[in-house]
Amino acid sequence: MSASPPPSQPAYVLHSRAYRETSALVDFLTPQGRLRAVLRSARGKTGTLARPFVALDVEFRGKGELKNVGRLESIGTSSWLNGEALFSGLYLNELLIRLLPAEDPHPAVFDHYAATLLALAEGRPLEPLLRAFEWRLLDDLGYGFELSNDLHGEPIAADGMYRLQVDAGLERVYLLQPGLFQGAELLAMSEADWNAPGALSAAKRLMRQALAVHLGGRPLVSRELFRKP
């Protein structure tokens, strides 16, 4: 009796690079986490599918950290991204490679990533999508914090000023200093009210502060794509 084939699972390519003569070393995002695998004959038809933002069904073989791709097929609808939507997708991919531990299951991250790609392809406003993804990623990895209460459990005051203590949460301060957030901005963020004055720009600053410590001081290459010449 022949052995049953290894189970396949949905996946997206986060990054791919040439490996040996005709293979590729590919980082995949799956519901079971970030997996790295060798794709043989990467210059053939299968290799053309192994590109970012294509919904795939992949069969992984092997028990070590470096797996082998046994089968790879496209499924569903792929997200075609252009311009700043493409840059945004590359930014999400780099975030996941840098922050998501290998082989650490995060099915909610996978689902939110797929939904965000679809929203980017539909042309929805970029900034709210990126801020929501950053926030949910941090929260799912255990790095989240409250936006409606400070680190002492007190409700955020709309007229207050706050700073982020990355390991603890938001702390109210009474002396003006760089990098502070207005309480009204934080409350708008907690309600995802992106029409509130200053909410989106404050959210971008807040997420940069929150992400910086987990990125180990190394800048994200994909952020440079957004810089206007």
Side-chain angles (χ1 to χ4, degrees):
M1 181 182 295
S2 62
S4 59
S8 60
Q9 57 183 307
Y12 287 93
V13 170
L14 296 177
H15 185 261
S16 177
R17 64 180 182 272
Y19 181 68
R20 295 180 176 170
E21 290 187 2
T22 61
S23 300
L25 195 59
V26 186
D27 283 292
F28 292 93
L29 176 67
T30 78
Q32 295 304 308
R34 181 173 57 82
L35 304 180
R36 179 166 290 179
V38 176
L39 176 65
R40 310 289 177 187
S41 302
R43 296 177 186 174
K45 180 181 177 182
T46 302
T48 63
L49 293 176
R51 63 182 190 273
F53 320 127
V54 176
L56 300 170
D57 186 71
V58 183
E59 175 191 289
F60 295 99
R61 294 176 176 170
K63 295 183 178 180
E65 284 191 11
L66 183 59
K67 313 238 185 302
N68 288 291
V69 174
R71 181 180 54 79
L72 181 150
E73 297 176 356
S74 63
I75 57 172
T77 304
S78 300
S79 298
W80 298 102
L81 306 181
N82 296 291
E84 290 199 340
L86 173 60
F87 300 160
S88 298
L90 295 173
Y91 170 69
L92 299 186
N93 286 6
E94 188 177 7
L95 264 188
L96 290 167
I97 290 172
R98 294 279 296 275
L99 295 183
L100 200 60
E103 301 194 56
D104 188 11
H106 287 280
V109 170
F110 180 87
D111 290 344
H112 191 208
Y113 175 83
T116 302
L117 289 187
L118 182 60
L120 288 171
E122 291 173 347
R124 287 171 51 187
L126 302 179
E127 294 290 332
L129 292 173
L130 296 180
R131 303 296 81 81
F133 186 85
E134 291 164 341
W135 175 258
R136 290 195 188 183
L137 178 60
L138 286 171
D139 194 51
D140 208 71
L141 293 175
Y143 304 139
F145 51 90
E146 288 195 67
L147 287 171
S148 53
N149 293 290
D150 67 17
L151 55 79
H152 301 295
E154 297 294 325
I156 296 292
D159 59 351
M161 298 293 292
Y162 295 83
R163 66 182 173 192
L164 177 63
Q165 301 281 22
V166 174
D167 294 329
L170 294 159
E171 178 184 28
R172 187 166 185 177
V173 297
Y174 296 90
L175 293 175
L176 195 61
Q177 54 191 274
L180 297 183
F181 301 91
Q182 297 179 13
E185 296 170 341
L186 297 169
L187 292 172
M189 286 182 226
S190 71
E191 299 291 332
D193 179 9
W194 303 121
N195 293 317
L200 266 179
S201 59
K204 187 172 186 176
R205 288 194 298 112
L206 182 67
M207 288 297 94
R208 285 212 170 188
Q209 288 184 24
L211 288 165
V213 67
H214 305 297
L215 292 171
R218 289 192 296 128
L220 289 163
V221 175
S222 53
R223 278 183 180 159
E224 296 300 315
L225 297 173
F226 290 93
R227 297 185 186 275
K228 300 288 192 296

